[in-house]
């Protein structure tokens, strides 16, 4: 999914940095400017980084969307070193970008763009609006639903408001004549 892709991109960025570091160490070794003690000194931060990355990968293996974000956050909370927390924060920020794009589209446009089923709001294709030919007296309750397992912990308190904001806007825009909503004073927050 998009969240996993963003996380992999962040991991790839870290691996590229590590590769550059290894190249510099290799050059120093070839120039006879690197002792075993110096190698250990320069490798230690990378060893710690890879240990954190391993914990993150183990926590998010097989997960998508909000569960990935929760796994990264869990590792961050359990880490006692500030460098480990900073690393997890970087990974979380990168992985959150596509998720927040989904939240933004839902809250501001009433559109659900979730091709990988990562978002905590899902649309039921079986429930149809009476206007489009299907009996659905409870369209409001069943068309868009909340998947509690996909809610990131940092959005848990706002999940119902996010769900209803998108629902209201979706219903309004599907019933309103084509046009664009006016931009709120001060722009989008």
């Amino acid at each position: 999914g998009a969240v996993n892709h963003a996380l992999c991109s962040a991991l790839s960025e870290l691996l590229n940095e590590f590769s550059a570091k290894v190249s510099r160490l290799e050059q120093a070794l070839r120039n006879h400017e690197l002792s075993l003690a110096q190698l250990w000194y320069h490798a230690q931060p990378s060893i710690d980084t890879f240990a954190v990355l391993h914990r993150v990968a183990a926590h998010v293996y097989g997960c998508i969307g909000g569960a990935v974000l929760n796994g990264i956050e869990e590792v961050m909370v359990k880490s006692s070193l500030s460098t480990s927390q900073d690393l997890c924060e970087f990974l979380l920020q990168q992985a959150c970008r596509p998720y927040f794009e989904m939240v933004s589209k839902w809250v501001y446009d009433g559109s659900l763009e979730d091709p990988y089923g990562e978002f905590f709001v899902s649309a039921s294709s079986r429930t149809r609006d009476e206007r489009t030919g299907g009996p659905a007296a409870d369209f409001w309750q069943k068309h868009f639903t909340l998947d509690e397992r996909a809610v990131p912990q940092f959005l848990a308190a706002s999940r119902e408001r996010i769900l209803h904001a998108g629902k209201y806007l979706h219903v309004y825009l599907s019933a309103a004549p084509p046009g664009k909503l006016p931009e709120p004073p001060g722009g989008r927050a």
Side-chain angles (χ1 to χ4, degrees):
V3 172
N4 286 349
H5 185 73
L7 176 60
C8 287
S9 178
L11 292 171
S12 179
E13 186 178 322
L14 292 171
L15 290 175
N16 285 340
E17 289 177 17
F18 179 71
S19 180
K21 183 178 187 174
V22 168
S23 294
R24 287 190 306 273
L25 291 172
E26 183 180 13
Q27 186 62 38
L29 178 65
R30 288 183 183 183
N31 293 339
H32 304 289
E33 299 169 352
L34 184 67
S35 69
L36 187 59
Q38 289 171 324
L39 176 63
W40 177 252
Y41 174 78
H42 289 292
Q44 195 60 46
S46 298
I47 293 170
D48 295 339
T49 297
F50 279 108
V52 172
L53 295 180
H54 178 264
R55 285 197 305 271
V56 168
H59 268 77
V60 302
Y61 180 76
C63 299
I64 62 168
V68 171
L69 303 178
N70 287 338
I72 297 169
E73 187 178 23
E74 186 177 326
V75 172
M76 184 171 69
V77 168
K78 289 181 178 179
S79 296
S80 58
L81 298 173
S82 64
T83 54
S84 298
Q85 291 173 345
D86 291 345
L87 176 60
C88 288
E89 185 177 338
F90 167 75
L91 295 174
L92 189 59
Q93 286 174 350
Q94 299 304 309
C96 277
R97 287 181 182 192
Y99 202 86
F100 283 141
E101 286 175 19
M102 287 183 259
V103 171
S104 182
K105 288 262 188 204
W106 177 244
V107 170
Y108 291 117
D109 300 334
S111 67
L112 187 59
E113 294 183 18
D114 184 17
Y116 302 107
E118 299 175 293
F119 192 43
F120 62 86
V121 175
S122 59
S124 172
S125 59
R126 286 186 256 157
T127 307
R128 292 181 293 175
D129 191 355
E130 291 176 8
R131 292 176 283 126
T132 60
D138 51 358
F139 175 76
W140 177 260
Q141 292 297 323
K142 291 187 178 177
H143 186 66
F144 293 109
T145 57
L146 190 65
D147 180 4
E148 293 289 344
R149 297 168 297 155
V151 178
Q153 289 301 312
F154 52 84
L155 291 177
S158 303
R159 68 186 182 277
E160 292 287 335
R161 286 183 290 239
I162 292 170
L163 171 68
H164 289 104
K167 274 185 174 183
Y168 289 129
L169 197 53
H170 179 79
V171 168
Y172 173 78
L173 293 175
S174 65
K180 191 171 179 150
L181 287 175
E183 194 70 27
R188 291 183 179 175

